[in-house]
């Protein structure tokens, strides 16, 4: 492969448009210890929840990612004061406005979760309508259905969603959709309901650990919530919330990604701070594939036992197998001799990694919502293009396992959700460098 880097870049994560790649010399089994960062998908709604009070909030273990940096910018654009250093974010949203910058919000779909807090605190929210993205259509009809059920009037005009209400009023609602529950929809409605009059019951609520983490933070702020983590969440509205401190849960998707990377490279690693109870479905599939995952105190030790075995995986809402780990698992199964079937039930077009994995020699066919992986052919390095966050992680895993050099281009997708992934992998022995994309 020709991509010899002119410069090896070394930077802290920042929001920038200049393109970078990972250059990976594969075939090295990962060994050693890796520390898991705070969860991106828990941190984003928790950051939005700081808008619910005029008092300062302190959030610890916030991962330093381009997505969390974007969210800081959004909070600031709404008038909040924010300080983010060494994983600790302090937000003081003393005086805020209900109108979010179109361009900022449009860039990150997760920013939709500022709508619930704005509606609850200011009784109005005007934010740009998030579009679809590469992994699927990603509508927000369920978020809006929940707000309407609480009494909000919704208008969609000029690319904006306008939500207004005199006073939100609690009610019982069913929030399930075509693919089951909605994670950010549940978060949004829960954040709106905490300051509503009376009792809100959300049926078919998302059960993801990130929803529970948000509920814990809201409870620390003085909210009254029960049932988070189950399909029925009950919120009893309160007059006012106060400032609070909170530590974000470890990122289960990052932990799963490193576990799969260890399995794919036939290594043995200790994952520090990962929560086995958040990873049951992933651990179960790794075990089926011939990978041992052992809990040792607060750590998980991951070790492959001989050849990988094929299996089948279907993504489902929690506690089922997470869609955010589907791409990485697909990459791993290309190395397991035999046929594995990976079925994606959450996002309709989350198979962008498949054609890139083929460049490394993988044999995968898409049949409707399933990828049929004919595994066992050795992978060999090639230049590949990252298309979204988890697809990028899959390409990195495949590159680590492949013979020769793999260049993963457009890794700004990866920087949205993995904190210092290259540095963490280097510590595990991987030969990986961040280079400027040529
Ligand atoms: N859906 C609707 N209507 C809605 C909302 C969702 O039909 O109003 C559908 C979606 O199209 C999808 C399904 O419901 O088919 C589930 O989507 P969900 O709303 O749960 O996704 P999300 O909350 O927008 C979060 C994560 C995603 C993760 C999904 C599913 C954040 C910031 N994002 O998105 O994370 O894939 O839940 O677990 O929390 C990632 O980290 O790579 C990522 C994409």
């Amino acid at each position: 492969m020709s991509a010899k880097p002119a410069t090896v870049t070394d930077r802290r994560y920042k929001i920038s448009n200049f393109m970078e790649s990972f250059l990976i010399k594969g075939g090295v089994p990962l060994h050693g210890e890796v520390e898991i960062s705070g969860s991106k998908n828990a941190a984003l709604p928790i950051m939005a929840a700081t808008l619910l009070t005029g008092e300062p909030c302190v959030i610890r273990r916030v991962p330093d990612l381009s997505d969390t940096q974007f969210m800081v910018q959004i909070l600031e654009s709404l008038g909040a004061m924010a300080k983010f250093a060494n994983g600790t974010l302090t937000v003081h949203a003393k005086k805020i406005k209900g109108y979010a910058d179109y361009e900022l919000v449009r860039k990150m779909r997760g920013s939709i979760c500022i709508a619930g807090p704005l509606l609850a605190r200011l009784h109005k929210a005007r934010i740009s309508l998030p579009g679809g993205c590469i992994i699927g259509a990603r509508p927000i009809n369920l978020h809006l259905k929940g707000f309407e059920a609480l009494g909000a009037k919704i208008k969609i005009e000029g690319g904006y969603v306008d939500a207004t209400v005199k006073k939100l009023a609690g009610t019982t609602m069913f929030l399930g959709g075509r693919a089951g529950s909605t994670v950010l929809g549940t978060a949004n409605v829960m954040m709106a309901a905490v300051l509503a009059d009376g009792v809100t019951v959300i049926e078919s609520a998302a059960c993801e650990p990130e929803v529970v983490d948000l509920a814990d933070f809201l409870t620390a702020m003085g909210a009254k919530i029960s049932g988070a983590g189950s399909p029925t969440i009950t919120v009893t509205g309160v007059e006012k919330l106060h400032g609070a401190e909170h530590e974000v849960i470890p990122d289960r998707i990052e932990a799963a990604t490193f576990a799969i990377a260890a399995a794919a490279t036939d290594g043995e690693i200790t994952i520090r701070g990962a929560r086995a109870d958040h990873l049951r479905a992933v651990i179960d599939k790794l075990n089926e594939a011939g990978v041992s995952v052992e809990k040792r105190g607060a750590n998980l030790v991951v070790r492959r036992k001989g050849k990988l075995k094929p299996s089948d995986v279907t993504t489902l809402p929690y506690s089922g197998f997470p869609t955010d780990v589907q791409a990485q698992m697909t990459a791993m199964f290309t190395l397991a001799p035999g046929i594995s079937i990976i079925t994606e039930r959450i996002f309709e077009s989350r198979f962008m990694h498949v054609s890139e994995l083929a460049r490394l020699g993988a044999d995968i066919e898409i049949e409707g919502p399933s990828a049929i992986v004919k595994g066992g052919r050795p992978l060999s390095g090639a230049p590949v293009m990252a298309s979204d966050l988890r697809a990028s992680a899959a390409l990195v895993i495949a590159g680590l396992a492949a013979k020769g050099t793999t260049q993963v281009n457009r890794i700004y997708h990866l920087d949205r959700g993995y904190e210092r992934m290259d540095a963490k992998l280097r510590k595990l022995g991987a030969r990986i460098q961040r280079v400027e994309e040529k």
Side-chain angles (χ1 to χ4, degrees):
M1 203 198 70
S2 62
K4 186 150 183 356
T7 6
V8 174
T9 59
D10 173 23
R11 62 174 185 114
R12 278 180 55 74
Y13 296 107
K14 58 183 181 214
I15 300 158
S16 96
N17 288 326
F18 90 94
M19 301 280 188
E20 292 179 325
S21 311
F22 279 168
L23 206 58
I24 303 166
K25 290 193 177 129
V28 184
L30 299 184
H31 281 284
E33 286 194 4
V34 62
E35 175 94 37
I36 293 310
S37 299
S39 157
K40 165 182 86 84
N41 290 347
L44 291 173
I46 287 172
M47 290 167 77
T50 61
L51 295 170
L52 283 162
T53 175
E55 294 180 17
C57 294
V58 180
I59 322 289
R60 300 188 205 287
R61 199 159 51 186
V62 176
D64 191 0
L65 308 166
S66 56
D67 269 13
T68 50
Q69 298 274 9
F70 264 126
M71 190 55 115
V72 169
Q73 284 191 17
I74 290 168
L75 298 178
E76 286 175 338
S77 80
L78 292 167
M81 284 189 297
K83 191 171 155 249
F84 185 23
N86 304 321
T88 298
L89 173 71
T90 308
V91 183
H92 192 182
K94 199 168 177 183
K95 222 172 159 245
I96 52 165
K97 57 176 187 171
Y99 176 94
D101 181 84
Y102 189 95
E103 279 309 311
L104 269 180
V105 172
R106 202 182 52 87
K107 274 190 187 144
M108 185 179 67
R109 207 191 170 282
S111 57
I112 185 67
C113 59
I114 61 173
L118 291 179
L119 198 53
R121 177 136 168 233
L122 305 175
H123 304 146
K124 61 179 181 192
R126 180 170 158 81
I127 56 174
S128 60
L129 199 60
C133 72
I134 196 107
I135 64 174
R138 309 197 75 180
I140 57 161
N141 59 312
L142 298 171
H143 300 232
L144 302 183
K145 177 182 169 185
F147 295 152
E148 277 179 329
L150 295 172
K153 298 253 173 308
I154 309 282
K155 256 195 340 204
I156 296 179
E157 229 172 42
Y160 281 93
V161 182
D162 253 311
T164 49
V165 68
K166 269 211 175 77
K167 185 80 180 86
L168 292 167
T171 185
T172 295
M173 66 178 84
F174 179 81
L175 212 58
R178 62 183 165 82
S181 52
T182 161
V183 178
L184 288 177
T186 302
N188 237 340
V189 172
M190 199 162 72
M191 289 190 281
V194 288
L195 294 179
D197 273 344
V199 178
T200 301
V201 179
I202 308 171
E203 299 280 12
S204 197
C207 303
E208 270 70 1
E210 293 75 17
V211 172
V212 178
D213 207 29
L214 172 64
D216 286 346
F217 176 55
L218 293 169
T219 304
M221 295 173 83
K224 291 201 162 52
I225 301 173
S226 63
S230 82
T232 305
I233 297 179
T234 305
V235 182
T236 305
V238 295
E239 249 336 271
K240 231 176 137 187
L241 295 186
H242 51 74
E245 290 199 18
H246 183 76
E247 185 169 291
V248 174
I249 52 169
D251 196 314
R252 65 191 168 103
I253 309 300
E254 188 198 18
T257 303
F258 276 99
I260 293 169
T265 59
D266 202 3
E268 172 168 347
I269 64 167
T270 299
I271 304 181
R272 282 175 39 201
R275 297 249 323 238
D277 58 327
H278 292 168
L279 284 161
R280 296 276 178 238
V282 174
I283 292 173
D284 188 56
K285 282 296 155 192
L286 284 170
N287 291 161
E288 271 182 33
V291 181
S292 127
V293 182
E294 200 190 314
K295 190 166 170 355
R296 279 196 209 148
N299 302 333
L300 293 180
V301 178
V302 181
R303 184 171 49 85
R304 183 161 126 188
K305 301 180 296 185
K307 266 198 164 62
L308 286 169
K309 295 186 211 128
S311 185
D312 60 289
V313 173
T314 300
T315 65
L316 289 167
Y318 194 80
S319 56
F321 191 91
T323 173
D324 292 345
V325 185
Q326 179 262 108
Q328 302 89 312
M329 212 61 163
T330 304
M332 186 191 86
F333 280 123
T334 66
L335 303 160
I339 304 226
S340 297
I341 301 180
I342 320 288
T343 304
E344 175 56 59
R345 292 274 179 223
I346 308 294
F347 291 112
E348 60 274 21
S349 48
R350 208 171 198 183
F351 279 125
M352 301 300 287
H353 44 285
V354 163
S355 54
E356 296 304 294
L357 288 171
R359 291 180 198 277
L360 302 179
D363 185 351
I364 309 173
E365 262 175 57
I366 303 290
E367 282 277 341
S370 299
I372 322 271
V373 183
K374 292 176 200 144
R377 292 217 314 226
L379 301 180
S380 63
V384 288
M385 182 83 81
S387 55
D388 68 82
L389 169 56
R390 308 304 172 186
S392 324
L395 297 176
V396 170
I397 289 168
L400 290 169
K403 265 211 162 73
T405 304
T406 295
Q407 178 158 348
V408 185
N409 292 320
R410 308 276 155 97
I411 48 138
Y412 63 85
H413 289 295
L414 194 123
D415 289 337
R416 291 187 44 207
Y418 289 95
E419 193 176 41
R420 303 189 329 272
M421 186 193 239
D422 41 340
K424 289 187 184 187
L425 283 171
R426 267 197 302 277
K427 228 183 124 220
L428 294 173
R431 291 177 295 175
I432 179 167
Q433 281 183 319
R434 181 181 286 264
V435 299
E436 259 183 60
E437 195 169 315
K438 292 285 166 229

